[in-house]
Amino acid sequence: MAAVANDEITLVIDRSVAVVLFEFLSRHVDDADGETLVEFVEDESEVPALWALLAGLESVLTEPMAEDYQRRVIAAREAVIKRFGGAFSGKGDE
């Protein structure tokens, strides 16, 4: 009998990135059942895929259960901006 291929992948990302993604997905995919993303998704399969990503992050992160979660989110956001820059940096500074 042939071995079944594993369809799972391992993704390595910075913890700060994971916290920022978790917070974003919690707000837009979990809390609102993906309704806030309706105009941004091309196919209805994308929302369950985001749910799966959120569940994966939730299974490895301890921050969401921390008493100081909001402070940790702020620190993670700052770390992401420091490392990668901001998506909207410089816009609106005219």
Side-chain angles (χ1 to χ4, degrees), residues 2 5-6 11 20 25 32 34 36-38 47 56 59 65-66 79 85 91:
N6 184 350
L11 175 65
V20 170
L25 292 171
T36 61
L37 301 175
V38 166
V47 173
S59 74
M65 300 307 291
K91 293 189 179 189

Side-chain angles (χ1 to χ4, degrees), residues 63 65-73:
E63 287 82 353
M65 300 307 291
E67 196 170 296
D68 62 343
Y69 173 67
Q70 290 304 320
R71 183 193 63 77
R72 292 178 186 219
V73 169

Side-chain angles (χ1 to χ4, degrees), residues 15-17 19-20 71-81:
R15 179 169 287 275
S16 295
V17 171
V19 171
V20 170
R71 183 193 63 77
R72 292 178 186 219
V73 169
I74 291 167
R77 288 173 175 162
E78 290 171 355
V80 168
I81 293 295

Side-chain angles (χ1 to χ4, degrees), residues 31-88:
D31 291 349
D33 288 332
E35 291 181 23
T36 61
L37 301 175
V38 166
E39 64 184 88
F40 303 106
V41 295
E42 185 173 306
D43 185 87
E44 65 181 325
S45 66
E46 293 169 349
V47 173
L50 291 171
W51 286 334
L53 178 58
L54 176 61
L57 291 169
E58 187 173 33
S59 74
V60 296
L61 292 173
T62 57
E63 287 82 353
M65 300 307 291
E67 196 170 296
D68 62 343
Y69 173 67
Q70 290 304 320
R71 183 193 63 77
R72 292 178 186 219
V73 169
I74 291 167
R77 288 173 175 162
E78 290 171 355
V80 168
I81 293 295
K82 183 176 181 180
R83 182 170 179 193
F84 300 107
F88 309 112

